[in-house]
Amino acid sequence: MSIKILQGDITKLNVDAIVNAANRSLLGGGGVDGCIHRAAGKELLAECRTLGGCPTGEAKVTGGYKLPCRYVIHTVGPVWSGGDRDEEKLLTSCYENSLVLAAEKGCSTVAFPLISAGVYGYPKDDAFRVAYDTIGRFLEEKGSDMEVSIVIFDRADYEKYKSIYG
Ligand code: ADP
């Protein structure tokens, strides 16, 4: 089982699939979503327009276009509203559904940003724990040898999670 913790910009990674923290429209936004659309080019938005959006907790896949990755898996994290609106369950589903799609596409390397931990306000340490635990459980249960990275944008956060989990 292989989970890596990386620091940097997810759009630069040479992996089979990167995961996007999208919104339900799938038509682009700020944060990592904006970075991914800018780096992929307008063909990504054109494909996203054909998908009819995506419910919270679910995931849809597109091509990577100008990105170095082959696929972008778009998942919609929950907006944090105190923790009693199924946020943890929905965030868990984001990771699980994204990994199911990655496996279906035959990906052996996948990278996730910290879904919901930016504009959507999920407390970062909890968001990291959900990511780490869910990915670990998925790989173990499926006996998968997929190599999954969690990409932390902020260097101080990266140092913290690396020292706790690395
Ligand atoms: P959400 O709306 O799901 O909260 P955001 O894009 O606002 O999504 O933030 C999710 C996480 O992605 C945050 O931790 C943010 O720091 C991080 N992030 C932003 N840009 C990038 C990038 N280019 N690569 C990796 N992570 C990024």
Side-chain angles (χ1 to χ4, degrees), residues 17-23 25-28 33 36-37 40 44-45 47-48 51 53-55 57-65 67 71-77 94 97-98 101 115:
I18 65 171
V19 178
N20 181 16
N23 56 50
S25 76
L26 297 185
L27 300 180
D33 195 6
I36 288 173
H37 275 274
L44 177 61
L45 182 59
E47 185 175 359
C48 283
L51 299 177
C54 182
E58 295 185 18
K60 294 193 178 179
V61 64
T62 64
Y65 300 95
L67 289 161
Y71 301 108
V72 178
I73 295 169
H74 306 263
T75 190
V76 183
C94 287
N97 288 324
S98 297
L101 278 181
I115 310 290

PDB file of all heavy atoms in Angstrom, residues 17-23 25-28 33 36-37 40 44-45 47-48 51 53-55 57-65 67 71-77 94 97-98 101 115:
ATOM      1  N   ALA A  17      -3.738  10.291 -13.160  1.00  0.00           N
ATOM      2  CA  ALA A  17      -4.928  11.122 -12.921  1.00  0.00           C
ATOM      3  C   ALA A  17      -4.688  12.077 -11.771  1.00  0.00           C
ATOM      4  O   ALA A  17      -4.082  11.698 -10.759  1.00  0.00           O
ATOM      5  CB  ALA A  17      -6.139  10.242 -12.609  1.00  0.00           C
ATOM      6  N   ILE A  18      -5.168  13.314 -11.921  1.00  0.00           N
ATOM      7  CA  ILE A  18      -5.244  14.210 -10.765  1.00  0.00           C
ATOM      8  C   ILE A  18      -6.722  14.412 -10.451  1.00  0.00           C
ATOM      9  O   ILE A  18      -7.589  14.308 -11.335  1.00  0.00           O
ATOM     10  CB  ILE A  18      -4.534  15.571 -10.974  1.00  0.00           C
ATOM     11  CG1 ILE A  18      -5.192  16.416 -12.067  1.00  0.00           C
ATOM     12  CG2 ILE A  18      -3.055  15.370 -11.240  1.00  0.00           C
ATOM     13  CD1 ILE A  18      -4.654  17.852 -12.136  1.00  0.00           C
ATOM     14  N   VAL A  19      -6.994  14.693  -9.200  1.00  0.00           N
ATOM     15  CA  VAL A  19      -8.372  14.905  -8.768  1.00  0.00           C
ATOM     16  C   VAL A  19      -8.574  16.406  -8.583  1.00  0.00           C
ATOM     17  O   VAL A  19      -7.697  17.110  -8.078  1.00  0.00           O
ATOM     18  CB  VAL A  19      -8.664  14.116  -7.475  1.00  0.00           C
ATOM     19  CG1 VAL A  19     -10.093  14.374  -6.998  1.00  0.00           C
ATOM     20  CG2 VAL A  19      -8.444  12.620  -7.724  1.00  0.00           C
ATOM     21  N   ASN A  20      -9.721  16.870  -9.029  1.00  0.00           N
ATOM     22  CA  ASN A  20     -10.073  18.286  -8.905  1.00  0.00           C
ATOM     23  C   ASN A  20     -11.115  18.461  -7.815  1.00  0.00           C
ATOM     24  O   ASN A  20     -12.093  17.718  -7.768  1.00  0.00           O
ATOM     25  CB  ASN A  20     -10.642  18.764 -10.262  1.00  0.00           C
ATOM     26  CG  ASN A  20     -11.005  20.241 -10.242  1.00  0.00           C
ATOM     27  OD1 ASN A  20     -10.585  20.980  -9.358  1.00  0.00           O
ATOM     28  ND2 ASN A  20     -11.786  20.659 -11.240  1.00  0.00           N
ATOM     29  N   ALA A  21     -10.904  19.464  -6.945  1.00  0.00           N
ATOM     30  CA  ALA A  21     -11.924  19.855  -5.964  1.00  0.00           C
ATOM     31  C   ALA A  21     -12.875  20.816  -6.679  1.00  0.00           C
ATOM     32  O   ALA A  21     -12.694  22.026  -6.648  1.00  0.00           O
ATOM     33  CB  ALA A  21     -11.260  20.532  -4.764  1.00  0.00           C
ATOM     34  N   ALA A  22     -13.858  20.234  -7.355  1.00  0.00           N
ATOM     35  CA  ALA A  22     -14.750  21.008  -8.226  1.00  0.00           C
ATOM     36  C   ALA A  22     -15.978  21.484  -7.448  1.00  0.00           C
ATOM     37  O   ALA A  22     -16.145  21.166  -6.268  1.00  0.00           O
ATOM     38  CB  ALA A  22     -15.179  20.132  -9.399  1.00  0.00           C
ATOM     39  N   ASN A  23     -16.821  22.245  -8.115  1.00  0.00           N
ATOM     40  CA  ASN A  23     -18.140  22.554  -7.540  1.00  0.00           C
ATOM     41  C   ASN A  23     -19.198  21.823  -8.363  1.00  0.00           C
ATOM     42  O   ASN A  23     -18.877  21.217  -9.392  1.00  0.00           O
ATOM     43  CB  ASN A  23     -18.379  24.061  -7.482  1.00  0.00           C
ATOM     44  CG  ASN A  23     -18.234  24.712  -8.841  1.00  0.00           C
ATOM     45  OD1 ASN A  23     -18.837  24.244  -9.813  1.00  0.00           O
ATOM     46  ND2 ASN A  23     -17.435  25.753  -8.937  1.00  0.00           N
ATOM     47  N   SER A  25     -21.400  22.530 -10.432  1.00  0.00           N
ATOM     48  CA  SER A  25     -21.620  22.861 -11.851  1.00  0.00           C
ATOM     49  C   SER A  25     -20.579  22.191 -12.750  1.00  0.00           C
ATOM     50  O   SER A  25     -20.813  21.992 -13.935  1.00  0.00           O
ATOM     51  CB  SER A  25     -21.557  24.379 -12.060  1.00  0.00           C
ATOM     52  OG  SER A  25     -20.209  24.836 -12.024  1.00  0.00           O
ATOM     53  N   LEU A  26     -19.424  21.884 -12.192  1.00  0.00           N
ATOM     54  CA  LEU A  26     -18.241  21.400 -12.934  1.00  0.00           C
ATOM     55  C   LEU A  26     -17.759  22.400 -13.978  1.00  0.00           C
ATOM     56  O   LEU A  26     -17.032  22.030 -14.901  1.00  0.00           O
ATOM     57  CB  LEU A  26     -18.499  20.041 -13.611  1.00  0.00           C
ATOM     58  CG  LEU A  26     -18.805  18.848 -12.716  1.00  0.00           C
ATOM     59  CD1 LEU A  26     -18.894  17.575 -13.565  1.00  0.00           C
ATOM     60  CD2 LEU A  26     -17.737  18.651 -11.643  1.00  0.00           C
ATOM     61  N   LEU A  27     -18.169  23.660 -13.836  1.00  0.00           N
ATOM     62  CA  LEU A  27     -17.809  24.643 -14.869  1.00  0.00           C
ATOM     63  C   LEU A  27     -16.659  25.554 -14.441  1.00  0.00           C
ATOM     64  O   LEU A  27     -16.471  26.632 -14.990  1.00  0.00           O
ATOM     65  CB  LEU A  27     -19.043  25.455 -15.283  1.00  0.00           C
ATOM     66  CG  LEU A  27     -20.177  24.602 -15.870  1.00  0.00           C
ATOM     67  CD1 LEU A  27     -21.366  25.470 -16.268  1.00  0.00           C
ATOM     68  CD2 LEU A  27     -19.693  23.797 -17.085  1.00  0.00           C
ATOM     69  N   GLY A  28     -15.893  25.107 -13.475  1.00  0.00           N
ATOM     70  CA  GLY A  28     -14.714  25.873 -13.063  1.00  0.00           C
ATOM     71  C   GLY A  28     -15.020  26.769 -11.881  1.00  0.00           C
ATOM     72  O   GLY A  28     -16.178  27.041 -11.576  1.00  0.00           O
ATOM     73  N   ASP A  33      -9.375  24.278  -8.562  1.00  0.00           N
ATOM     74  CA  ASP A  33     -10.230  24.140  -9.746  1.00  0.00           C
ATOM     75  C   ASP A  33      -9.794  25.145 -10.825  1.00  0.00           C
ATOM     76  O   ASP A  33      -9.609  24.778 -12.004  1.00  0.00           O
ATOM     77  CB  ASP A  33     -11.684  24.416  -9.303  1.00  0.00           C
ATOM     78  CG  ASP A  33     -12.727  23.970 -10.304  1.00  0.00           C
ATOM     79  OD1 ASP A  33     -12.370  23.340 -11.317  1.00  0.00           O
ATOM     80  OD2 ASP A  33     -13.918  24.258 -10.069  1.00  0.00           O
ATOM     81  N   ILE A  36      -6.428  24.156 -12.301  1.00  0.00           N
ATOM     82  CA  ILE A  36      -6.534  23.002 -13.208  1.00  0.00           C
ATOM     83  C   ILE A  36      -7.106  23.438 -14.559  1.00  0.00           C
ATOM     84  O   ILE A  36      -6.582  23.075 -15.613  1.00  0.00           O
ATOM     85  CB  ILE A  36      -7.369  21.869 -12.557  1.00  0.00           C
ATOM     86  CG1 ILE A  36      -6.552  21.222 -11.432  1.00  0.00           C
ATOM     87  CG2 ILE A  36      -7.812  20.829 -13.589  1.00  0.00           C
ATOM     88  CD1 ILE A  36      -7.301  20.205 -10.583  1.00  0.00           C
ATOM     89  N   HIS A  37      -8.161  24.241 -14.532  1.00  0.00           N
ATOM     90  CA  HIS A  37      -8.756  24.685 -15.805  1.00  0.00           C
ATOM     91  C   HIS A  37      -7.782  25.566 -16.591  1.00  0.00           C
ATOM     92  O   HIS A  37      -7.685  25.432 -17.816  1.00  0.00           O
ATOM     93  CB  HIS A  37     -10.095  25.389 -15.563  1.00  0.00           C
ATOM     94  CG  HIS A  37     -11.242  24.429 -15.467  1.00  0.00           C
ATOM     95  ND1 HIS A  37     -11.930  23.961 -16.559  1.00  0.00           N
ATOM     96  CD2 HIS A  37     -11.797  23.810 -14.399  1.00  0.00           C
ATOM     97  CE1 HIS A  37     -12.872  23.114 -16.182  1.00  0.00           C
ATOM     98  NE2 HIS A  37     -12.813  23.004 -14.853  1.00  0.00           N
ATOM     99  N   ALA A  40      -5.107  23.230 -18.054  1.00  0.00           N
ATOM    100  CA  ALA A  40      -5.590  22.220 -19.015  1.00  0.00           C
ATOM    101  C   ALA A  40      -6.011  22.845 -20.337  1.00  0.00           C
ATOM    102  O   ALA A  40      -5.958  22.195 -21.386  1.00  0.00           O
ATOM    103  CB  ALA A  40      -6.758  21.439 -18.414  1.00  0.00           C
ATOM    104  N   LEU A  44     -10.940  21.500 -21.671  1.00  0.00           N
ATOM    105  CA  LEU A  44     -11.429  20.845 -20.441  1.00  0.00           C
ATOM    106  C   LEU A  44     -12.818  21.371 -20.102  1.00  0.00           C
ATOM    107  O   LEU A  44     -13.731  20.586 -19.813  1.00  0.00           O
ATOM    108  CB  LEU A  44     -10.467  21.083 -19.271  1.00  0.00           C
ATOM    109  CG  LEU A  44     -10.939  20.490 -17.926  1.00  0.00           C
ATOM    110  CD1 LEU A  44     -11.099  18.975 -18.008  1.00  0.00           C
ATOM    111  CD2 LEU A  44      -9.986  20.846 -16.796  1.00  0.00           C
ATOM    112  N   LEU A  45     -12.987  22.688 -20.160  1.00  0.00           N
ATOM    113  CA  LEU A  45     -14.300  23.269 -19.868  1.00  0.00           C
ATOM    114  C   LEU A  45     -15.342  22.750 -20.862  1.00  0.00           C
ATOM    115  O   LEU A  45     -16.470  22.429 -20.485  1.00  0.00           O
ATOM    116  CB  LEU A  45     -14.219  24.801 -19.913  1.00  0.00           C
ATOM    117  CG  LEU A  45     -15.497  25.541 -19.577  1.00  0.00           C
ATOM    118  CD1 LEU A  45     -15.987  25.184 -18.176  1.00  0.00           C
ATOM    119  CD2 LEU A  45     -15.285  27.055 -19.697  1.00  0.00           C
ATOM    120  N   GLU A  47     -15.434  19.843 -22.343  1.00  0.00           N
ATOM    121  CA  GLU A  47     -15.863  18.494 -21.964  1.00  0.00           C
ATOM    122  C   GLU A  47     -16.718  18.540 -20.697  1.00  0.00           C
ATOM    123  O   GLU A  47     -17.736  17.831 -20.600  1.00  0.00           O
ATOM    124  CB  GLU A  47     -14.659  17.549 -21.762  1.00  0.00           C
ATOM    125  CG  GLU A  47     -15.152  16.129 -21.485  1.00  0.00           C
ATOM    126  CD  GLU A  47     -14.077  15.066 -21.387  1.00  0.00           C
ATOM    127  OE1 GLU A  47     -12.868  15.346 -21.556  1.00  0.00           O
ATOM    128  OE2 GLU A  47     -14.480  13.908 -21.126  1.00  0.00           O
ATOM    129  N   CYS A  48     -16.335  19.394 -19.748  1.00  0.00           N
ATOM    130  CA  CYS A  48     -17.107  19.499 -18.506  1.00  0.00           C
ATOM    131  C   CYS A  48     -18.553  19.924 -18.776  1.00  0.00           C
ATOM    132  O   CYS A  48     -19.475  19.470 -18.096  1.00  0.00           O
ATOM    133  CB  CYS A  48     -16.447  20.488 -17.550  1.00  0.00           C
ATOM    134  SG  CYS A  48     -14.993  19.799 -16.726  1.00  0.00           S
ATOM    135  N   LEU A  51     -21.150  17.201 -19.125  1.00  0.00           N
ATOM    136  CA  LEU A  51     -21.341  16.233 -18.035  1.00  0.00           C
ATOM    137  C   LEU A  51     -22.591  16.484 -17.187  1.00  0.00           C
ATOM    138  O   LEU A  51     -22.983  15.629 -16.401  1.00  0.00           O
ATOM    139  CB  LEU A  51     -20.099  16.206 -17.131  1.00  0.00           C
ATOM    140  CG  LEU A  51     -18.794  15.778 -17.820  1.00  0.00           C
ATOM    141  CD1 LEU A  51     -17.626  15.862 -16.849  1.00  0.00           C
ATOM    142  CD2 LEU A  51     -18.903  14.372 -18.390  1.00  0.00           C
ATOM    143  N   GLY A  53     -23.019  18.562 -14.656  1.00  0.00           N
ATOM    144  CA  GLY A  53     -22.753  18.781 -13.234  1.00  0.00           C
ATOM    145  C   GLY A  53     -22.484  17.485 -12.494  1.00  0.00           C
ATOM    146  O   GLY A  53     -22.412  16.409 -13.093  1.00  0.00           O
ATOM    147  N   CYS A  54     -22.352  17.605 -11.170  1.00  0.00           N
ATOM    148  CA  CYS A  54     -22.006  16.441 -10.343  1.00  0.00           C
ATOM    149  C   CYS A  54     -22.512  16.688  -8.926  1.00  0.00           C
ATOM    150  O   CYS A  54     -22.257  17.752  -8.355  1.00  0.00           O
ATOM    151  CB  CYS A  54     -20.486  16.269 -10.346  1.00  0.00           C
ATOM    152  SG  CYS A  54     -19.887  14.853  -9.409  1.00  0.00           S
ATOM    153  N   PRO A  55     -23.241  15.733  -8.344  1.00  0.00           N
ATOM    154  CA  PRO A  55     -23.705  15.920  -6.961  1.00  0.00           C
ATOM    155  C   PRO A  55     -22.546  15.873  -5.952  1.00  0.00           C
ATOM    156  O   PRO A  55     -21.522  15.247  -6.219  1.00  0.00           O
ATOM    157  CB  PRO A  55     -24.641  14.726  -6.738  1.00  0.00           C
ATOM    158  CG  PRO A  55     -24.903  14.129  -8.074  1.00  0.00           C
ATOM    159  CD  PRO A  55     -23.709  14.460  -8.918  1.00  0.00           C
ATOM    160  N   GLY A  57     -20.171  14.711  -3.199  1.00  0.00           N
ATOM    161  CA  GLY A  57     -19.760  13.365  -2.783  1.00  0.00           C
ATOM    162  C   GLY A  57     -19.497  12.417  -3.940  1.00  0.00           C
ATOM    163  O   GLY A  57     -18.957  11.332  -3.740  1.00  0.00           O
ATOM    164  N   GLU A  58     -19.909  12.825  -5.145  1.00  0.00           N
ATOM    165  CA  GLU A  58     -19.690  11.953  -6.305  1.00  0.00           C
ATOM    166  C   GLU A  58     -18.521  12.461  -7.162  1.00  0.00           C
ATOM    167  O   GLU A  58     -17.907  13.481  -6.825  1.00  0.00           O
ATOM    168  CB  GLU A  58     -20.978  11.830  -7.109  1.00  0.00           C
ATOM    169  CG  GLU A  58     -22.036  11.125  -6.255  1.00  0.00           C
ATOM    170  CD  GLU A  58     -23.326  10.832  -6.997  1.00  0.00           C
ATOM    171  OE1 GLU A  58     -23.342  10.840  -8.232  1.00  0.00           O
ATOM    172  OE2 GLU A  58     -24.316  10.597  -6.296  1.00  0.00           O
ATOM    173  N   ALA A  59     -18.227  11.755  -8.240  1.00  0.00           N
ATOM    174  CA  ALA A  59     -17.071  12.107  -9.061  1.00  0.00           C
ATOM    175  C   ALA A  59     -17.334  11.787 -10.531  1.00  0.00           C
ATOM    176  O   ALA A  59     -18.100  10.863 -10.839  1.00  0.00           O
ATOM    177  CB  ALA A  59     -15.849  11.336  -8.582  1.00  0.00           C
ATOM    178  N   LYS A  60     -16.727  12.576 -11.417  1.00  0.00           N
ATOM    179  CA  LYS A  60     -16.810  12.331 -12.865  1.00  0.00           C
ATOM    180  C   LYS A  60     -15.431  12.531 -13.477  1.00  0.00           C
ATOM    181  O   LYS A  60     -14.645  13.327 -12.970  1.00  0.00           O
ATOM    182  CB  LYS A  60     -17.825  13.271 -13.510  1.00  0.00           C
ATOM    183  CG  LYS A  60     -19.256  12.985 -13.038  1.00  0.00           C
ATOM    184  CD  LYS A  60     -20.308  13.673 -13.873  1.00  0.00           C
ATOM    185  CE  LYS A  60     -21.702  13.283 -13.355  1.00  0.00           C
ATOM    186  NZ  LYS A  60     -22.779  13.954 -14.114  1.00  0.00           N
ATOM    187  N   VAL A  61     -15.177  11.848 -14.586  1.00  0.00           N
ATOM    188  CA  VAL A  61     -13.826  11.893 -15.156  1.00  0.00           C
ATOM    189  C   VAL A  61     -13.831  12.553 -16.536  1.00  0.00           C
ATOM    190  O   VAL A  61     -14.783  12.411 -17.300  1.00  0.00           O
ATOM    191  CB  VAL A  61     -13.225  10.459 -15.192  1.00  0.00           C
ATOM    192  CG1 VAL A  61     -13.995   9.535 -16.110  1.00  0.00           C
ATOM    193  CG2 VAL A  61     -11.751  10.474 -15.559  1.00  0.00           C
ATOM    194  N   THR A  62     -12.757  13.294 -16.813  1.00  0.00           N
ATOM    195  CA  THR A  62     -12.538  13.881 -18.147  1.00  0.00           C
ATOM    196  C   THR A  62     -11.090  13.612 -18.553  1.00  0.00           C
ATOM    197  O   THR A  62     -10.300  13.109 -17.765  1.00  0.00           O
ATOM    198  CB  THR A  62     -12.713  15.415 -18.147  1.00  0.00           C
ATOM    199  OG1 THR A  62     -11.692  15.990 -17.315  1.00  0.00           O
ATOM    200  CG2 THR A  62     -14.083  15.845 -17.667  1.00  0.00           C
ATOM    201  N   GLY A  63     -10.772  14.048 -19.752  1.00  0.00           N
ATOM    202  CA  GLY A  63      -9.379  14.030 -20.193  1.00  0.00           C
ATOM    203  C   GLY A  63      -8.569  15.095 -19.467  1.00  0.00           C
ATOM    204  O   GLY A  63      -9.127  15.963 -18.790  1.00  0.00           O
ATOM    205  N   GLY A  64      -7.256  15.035 -19.636  1.00  0.00           N
ATOM    206  CA  GLY A  64      -6.367  16.000 -18.984  1.00  0.00           C
ATOM    207  C   GLY A  64      -5.935  17.135 -19.909  1.00  0.00           C
ATOM    208  O   GLY A  64      -5.344  18.110 -19.456  1.00  0.00           O
ATOM    209  N   TYR A  65      -6.179  16.968 -21.222  1.00  0.00           N
ATOM    210  CA  TYR A  65      -5.823  17.994 -22.213  1.00  0.00           C
ATOM    211  C   TYR A  65      -4.380  18.464 -22.064  1.00  0.00           C
ATOM    212  O   TYR A  65      -3.480  17.638 -22.125  1.00  0.00           O
ATOM    213  CB  TYR A  65      -6.873  19.113 -22.215  1.00  0.00           C
ATOM    214  CG  TYR A  65      -8.230  18.518 -22.563  1.00  0.00           C
ATOM    215  CD1 TYR A  65      -9.137  18.134 -21.573  1.00  0.00           C
ATOM    216  CD2 TYR A  65      -8.539  18.230 -23.884  1.00  0.00           C
ATOM    217  CE1 TYR A  65     -10.339  17.514 -21.893  1.00  0.00           C
ATOM    218  CE2 TYR A  65      -9.746  17.607 -24.215  1.00  0.00           C
ATOM    219  CZ  TYR A  65     -10.626  17.252 -23.216  1.00  0.00           C
ATOM    220  OH  TYR A  65     -11.797  16.624 -23.541  1.00  0.00           O
ATOM    221  N   LEU A  67      -2.671  19.268 -19.558  1.00  0.00           N
ATOM    222  CA  LEU A  67      -1.987  18.851 -18.319  1.00  0.00           C
ATOM    223  C   LEU A  67      -1.115  17.630 -18.608  1.00  0.00           C
ATOM    224  O   LEU A  67      -1.387  16.878 -19.543  1.00  0.00           O
ATOM    225  CB  LEU A  67      -3.031  18.472 -17.260  1.00  0.00           C
ATOM    226  CG  LEU A  67      -3.841  19.620 -16.668  1.00  0.00           C
ATOM    227  CD1 LEU A  67      -5.105  19.085 -16.013  1.00  0.00           C
ATOM    228  CD2 LEU A  67      -2.998  20.394 -15.669  1.00  0.00           C
ATOM    229  N   TYR A  71      -5.911  11.914 -17.105  1.00  0.00           N
ATOM    230  CA  TYR A  71      -7.303  12.152 -16.695  1.00  0.00           C
ATOM    231  C   TYR A  71      -7.383  13.188 -15.592  1.00  0.00           C
ATOM    232  O   TYR A  71      -6.470  13.299 -14.766  1.00  0.00           O
ATOM    233  CB  TYR A  71      -7.926  10.866 -16.137  1.00  0.00           C
ATOM    234  CG  TYR A  71      -7.946   9.711 -17.099  1.00  0.00           C
ATOM    235  CD1 TYR A  71      -7.089   8.632 -16.914  1.00  0.00           C
ATOM    236  CD2 TYR A  71      -8.826   9.697 -18.176  1.00  0.00           C
ATOM    237  CE1 TYR A  71      -7.093   7.568 -17.793  1.00  0.00           C
ATOM    238  CE2 TYR A  71      -8.839   8.626 -19.066  1.00  0.00           C
ATOM    239  CZ  TYR A  71      -7.975   7.568 -18.870  1.00  0.00           C
ATOM    240  OH  TYR A  71      -7.980   6.511 -19.738  1.00  0.00           O
ATOM    241  N   VAL A  72      -8.517  13.902 -15.560  1.00  0.00           N
ATOM    242  CA  VAL A  72      -8.875  14.700 -14.391  1.00  0.00           C
ATOM    243  C   VAL A  72     -10.161  14.092 -13.828  1.00  0.00           C
ATOM    244  O   VAL A  72     -11.139  13.906 -14.568  1.00  0.00           O
ATOM    245  CB  VAL A  72      -9.109  16.188 -14.729  1.00  0.00           C
ATOM    246  CG1 VAL A  72      -9.521  16.965 -13.471  1.00  0.00           C
ATOM    247  CG2 VAL A  72      -7.855  16.812 -15.335  1.00  0.00           C
ATOM    248  N   ILE A  73     -10.115  13.759 -12.551  1.00  0.00           N
ATOM    249  CA  ILE A  73     -11.306  13.243 -11.879  1.00  0.00           C
ATOM    250  C   ILE A  73     -11.872  14.390 -11.053  1.00  0.00           C
ATOM    251  O   ILE A  73     -11.190  14.921 -10.174  1.00  0.00           O
ATOM    252  CB  ILE A  73     -10.939  12.035 -10.991  1.00  0.00           C
ATOM    253  CG1 ILE A  73     -10.440  10.884 -11.890  1.00  0.00           C
ATOM    254  CG2 ILE A  73     -12.145  11.595 -10.161  1.00  0.00           C
ATOM    255  CD1 ILE A  73      -9.793   9.733 -11.142  1.00  0.00           C
ATOM    256  N   HIS A  74     -13.089  14.804 -11.390  1.00  0.00           N
ATOM    257  CA  HIS A  74     -13.696  15.960 -10.729  1.00  0.00           C
ATOM    258  C   HIS A  74     -14.616  15.446  -9.629  1.00  0.00           C
ATOM    259  O   HIS A  74     -15.545  14.690  -9.902  1.00  0.00           O
ATOM    260  CB  HIS A  74     -14.530  16.766 -11.738  1.00  0.00           C
ATOM    261  CG  HIS A  74     -13.746  17.157 -12.958  1.00  0.00           C
ATOM    262  ND1 HIS A  74     -13.161  18.392 -13.101  1.00  0.00           N
ATOM    263  CD2 HIS A  74     -13.434  16.453 -14.080  1.00  0.00           C
ATOM    264  CE1 HIS A  74     -12.530  18.443 -14.265  1.00  0.00           C
ATOM    265  NE2 HIS A  74     -12.683  17.279 -14.877  1.00  0.00           N
ATOM    266  N   THR A  75     -14.333  15.861  -8.406  1.00  0.00           N
ATOM    267  CA  THR A  75     -15.214  15.458  -7.311  1.00  0.00           C
ATOM    268  C   THR A  75     -15.671  16.707  -6.574  1.00  0.00           C
ATOM    269  O   THR A  75     -14.978  17.723  -6.571  1.00  0.00           O
ATOM    270  CB  THR A  75     -14.525  14.443  -6.377  1.00  0.00           C
ATOM    271  OG1 THR A  75     -15.496  13.907  -5.465  1.00  0.00           O
ATOM    272  CG2 THR A  75     -13.384  15.055  -5.577  1.00  0.00           C
ATOM    273  N   VAL A  76     -16.859  16.626  -5.994  1.00  0.00           N
ATOM    274  CA  VAL A  76     -17.441  17.796  -5.338  1.00  0.00           C
ATOM    275  C   VAL A  76     -17.500  17.541  -3.843  1.00  0.00           C
ATOM    276  O   VAL A  76     -18.262  16.693  -3.366  1.00  0.00           O
ATOM    277  CB  VAL A  76     -18.854  18.091  -5.893  1.00  0.00           C
ATOM    278  CG1 VAL A  76     -19.418  19.351  -5.241  1.00  0.00           C
ATOM    279  CG2 VAL A  76     -18.817  18.228  -7.412  1.00  0.00           C
ATOM    280  N   GLY A  77     -16.655  18.243  -3.111  1.00  0.00           N
ATOM    281  CA  GLY A  77     -16.611  18.102  -1.665  1.00  0.00           C
ATOM    282  C   GLY A  77     -17.766  18.833  -1.008  1.00  0.00           C
ATOM    283  O   GLY A  77     -18.396  19.697  -1.609  1.00  0.00           O
ATOM    284  N   CYS A  94     -16.182  11.281  -1.573  1.00  0.00           N
ATOM    285  CA  CYS A  94     -15.389  11.926  -2.637  1.00  0.00           C
ATOM    286  C   CYS A  94     -14.138  11.108  -2.942  1.00  0.00           C
ATOM    287  O   CYS A  94     -13.812  10.848  -4.101  1.00  0.00           O
ATOM    288  CB  CYS A  94     -14.940  13.322  -2.223  1.00  0.00           C
ATOM    289  SG  CYS A  94     -16.247  14.544  -2.215  1.00  0.00           S
ATOM    290  N   ASN A  97     -15.199   7.448  -4.325  1.00  0.00           N
ATOM    291  CA  ASN A  97     -15.716   7.463  -5.703  1.00  0.00           C
ATOM    292  C   ASN A  97     -14.629   7.855  -6.704  1.00  0.00           C
ATOM    293  O   ASN A  97     -14.602   7.341  -7.826  1.00  0.00           O
ATOM    294  CB  ASN A  97     -16.915   8.414  -5.812  1.00  0.00           C
ATOM    295  CG  ASN A  97     -18.143   7.838  -5.129  1.00  0.00           C
ATOM    296  OD1 ASN A  97     -18.366   6.629  -5.162  1.00  0.00           O
ATOM    297  ND2 ASN A  97     -18.941   8.683  -4.504  1.00  0.00           N
ATOM    298  N   SER A  98     -13.729   8.745  -6.299  1.00  0.00           N
ATOM    299  CA  SER A  98     -12.628   9.130  -7.193  1.00  0.00           C
ATOM    300  C   SER A  98     -11.693   7.943  -7.423  1.00  0.00           C
ATOM    301  O   SER A  98     -11.238   7.699  -8.548  1.00  0.00           O
ATOM    302  CB  SER A  98     -11.835  10.292  -6.592  1.00  0.00           C
ATOM    303  OG  SER A  98     -12.648  11.432  -6.463  1.00  0.00           O
ATOM    304  N   LEU A 101     -13.225   5.409  -9.827  1.00  0.00           N
ATOM    305  CA  LEU A 101     -13.069   5.848 -11.221  1.00  0.00           C
ATOM    306  C   LEU A 101     -11.626   5.665 -11.707  1.00  0.00           C
ATOM    307  O   LEU A 101     -11.402   5.226 -12.839  1.00  0.00           O
ATOM    308  CB  LEU A 101     -13.440   7.329 -11.363  1.00  0.00           C
ATOM    309  CG  LEU A 101     -14.910   7.679 -11.503  1.00  0.00           C
ATOM    310  CD1 LEU A 101     -15.073   9.192 -11.649  1.00  0.00           C
ATOM    311  CD2 LEU A 101     -15.504   6.972 -12.723  1.00  0.00           C
ATOM    312  N   ILE A 115      -9.382  18.008  -0.631  1.00  0.00           N
ATOM    313  CA  ILE A 115     -10.760  18.352  -1.015  1.00  0.00           C
ATOM    314  C   ILE A 115     -11.469  19.063   0.150  1.00  0.00           C
ATOM    315  O   ILE A 115     -11.340  18.634   1.306  1.00  0.00           O
ATOM    316  CB  ILE A 115     -11.567  17.061  -1.340  1.00  0.00           C
ATOM    317  CG1 ILE A 115     -10.830  16.130  -2.312  1.00  0.00           C
ATOM    318  CG2 ILE A 115     -12.970  17.392  -1.847  1.00  0.00           C
ATOM    319  CD1 ILE A 115     -10.708  16.603  -3.693  1.00  0.00           C
TER     320      ILE A 115
END
